[in-house]
Amino acid sequence: MNGNPVYHAIALAAATLFLLPLPVLILGGWTPGRFPSRAAARSYAYALLCLYALAPLNAVPRMLDASAGVVTACTAAGLAFSGAAVVCLVRVSWTGRRGTTEIGG
């Protein structure tokens, strides 16, 4: 049911390589020029981190050959992270239109 663990390890490595560096840089203090404010950049970083959380939630249980119940529970938890990413992206849009300089410190 869980497939080849090598494929899941490759997907996890690719997600780490492509999804993790940008939010870490943004949360470390760097703000890309395309964002209207630091608050918008931070919300975008949180959205990317929520999307990155999907990779280990889906890959690790399958790599460990977990039971179907555990895999299903992790997939359901991934839906919560997807919803949180959508909320963060809506906040990016709202912050960008509003033109504020900072929300939440």
Side-chain angles (χ1 to χ4, degrees):
M1 174 191 155
N2 292 330
N4 191 342
V6 173
Y7 296 134
H8 297 296
I10 291 170
L12 183 58
T16 301
L17 182 66
F18 293 118
L19 285 177
L20 204 52
L22 183 61
V24 169
L25 284 172
I26 291 172
L27 293 175
W30 176 68
T31 304
R34 69 175 183 246
F35 290 107
S37 68
R38 175 92 178 109
R42 287 183 54 181
S43 293
Y44 185 75
Y46 290 135
L48 284 178
L49 287 176
C50 288
L51 292 176
Y52 171 73
L54 296 173
L57 274 174
N58 284 315
V60 172
R62 288 177 169 90
M63 287 171 34
L64 298 175
D65 200 28
S67 66
V70 172
V71 171
T72 303
C74 289
T75 302
L79 290 174
F81 279 101
S82 297
V86 168
V87 168
C88 290
L89 290 174
V90 167
R91 184 175 173 187
V92 169
S93 175
W94 180 72
T95 304
R97 272 191 249 146
R98 193 162 169 232
T100 59
T101 56
E102 195 68 35
I103 291 180

